[in-house]
Amino acid sequence: MYNEIDLDRIDLSAEIPSVEPERQYYFMRCIRDFVRKEEQKLGRKLTACVVTFGCQMNARDSEKLIGILQKTGYELSEDENSDLVLYKTCTVRDNANQKVYGRLGVLNGYKKKNPNMRVVLCGCMTQEEKVVQKLRESYSFVDLVFGTHNLYCFAELLYKMYGNKEMVVDIRKEADRIVEELPVKRKYPFKSGINIMFGCNNFCSYCIVPYVRGRERSRESEDIINEIKGLVKDGVVEIMLLGQNVNSYGKNLENGITFAQLLKKVDAIDGLKRIRFMTSHPKDLSDDLIEAIASSTKICRHLHLPLQSGSDRILKEMNRHYTRQQYLELAQKIRERIPDIAITTDIIVGFPGETPEDVDQTIDMIKKVRYDNAFTFIYSPRTGTPAAAMQQVSEEQVHEQFDRVLKCVQETARESIARYEGQIMEALAEEQNQGENSSKVLKELGASDGEVLLTGRLSNNTIVHFPGREEQIGTLIPVELLQCHGFYYIGRTVN
Ligand code: 5AD
Ligand code: SF4
């Protein structure tokens, strides 16, 4: 699918290429030779473990980093006691940072016992200056630190790391380019995320993303379409188009393509069965996009539409550029045009200056929109964002309000999801359910010998567990939704 370069054909005696991706393949070859030598010396494989924190974007980034590690001969492992450990970090809330610091302490212990071990930190967290400073001061055993803009240089940075005793740090303020055609190792053979754009220009006042991921940059539509066609040839049936705000797709491109137009092109790809996308900002979700979803049989019946707050005053302070009324009208318009769509959202509780009355407004919106699911977050001040300098709400009040919102979200979601009971819907079987209860459920449903409990995802993103055969993983199967258990269903396949 990609025009991957064969590492054996690279001439290491030639000058280091200055163009990409050739330059990175040159360094991949250097690393591969190094890995082979180490293996001979140690009499065993060199292992690498990649741990991903945060969002779908990070998960996709990790697939690219793993692609490079695999190409250079590392044996991938889930065990953090490996020769190379890489953390793909998130910094959207402070608890993500704290988790990383905690786990670094454990890695230090492993490293003392294995002098070959190397620790790499990359992603959003390392784009923060104070983080790099802290790493230098208190976590000097970390070997390589790089950010979000030079992921494509991973092979080159690894090479530099192995040649240096000191911590190698390479953080760039902005991305200079988008490099295509590097190796990728997908987590699932049958589904994949695809970056359609990087960065964000919205500067919501609580959010650190524009500072750590930089300004919006869209990929050329031909590159996206070619990548998807390649994936489909490789067995992918479901894709998720990824961007911080997909509605701004194309704004910096010369051909002036919109997200709705891109979706139409993706929709026309033969063999592709399902299309998802994430995330849509409510301020600029166009009628064309609603039409594109409504008229497609491939675009999934799920829209993630972050509300953040139901209070006009707070929305203004958050710099969200819509009012509760505008959001409500948008949600109604979408539900009228696409009645079977599931709408999910993100909500922040405890934004500076938020009162219990503001939270009442949020709860009112949850009830009115009838979300299928909502992710609720406690506001976390992020250094450098405007909201961090505002008057903060007391911890006690935040927790009280958070519990109220969570209760409402759970009740609404339960009711919303229960409305599918008895229906037959197509599920993409994603994996075998290994949970403690799986054999009990199989027994109750009268599953036949050789059947396992499969976990599938409906077009509306709801999870369903049902008896089936392992070979069915990666295929679309009609499933009758028998029992609703809050956020998921138990079902059975129908012919
Ligand atoms: N504190 C809490 N939640 C946040 N989010 C973004 N920034 C913050 C913050 N500082 C949430 C938003 C966003 C989701 C990905 O994370 O709800 O939609
Ligand atoms: Fe953050 Fe707002 Fe951009 Fe989303 S749209 S990434 S919340 S700044």
Side-chain angles (χ1 to χ4, degrees), residues 424 451 469 472 477-480 492-495:
I424 294 171
E451 281 190 318
R469 288 170 287 106
Q472 288 178 304
I477 306 158
V479 176
E480 184 182 356
R492 67 163 167 238
T493 54
V494 285
N495 294 322

Side-chain angles (χ1 to χ4, degrees), residues 55 91-94 204-209 244 279 304 306-308 320 345-349 351 375-382 385 387:
C55 66
T91 188
V92 79
R93 285 168 291 277
D94 187 55
C204 300
S205 64
Y206 51 81
C207 186
I208 199 166
V209 169
Q244 243 75 44
T279 297
H304 187 64
L307 170 69
Q308 312 299 4
R320 289 291 288 175
T345 203
D346 290 341
I347 288 167
I348 298 177
V349 180
F351 182 85
F375 301 96
T376 39
F377 306 107
I378 288 181
Y379 168 72
S380 166
R382 309 308 295 124
T385 60

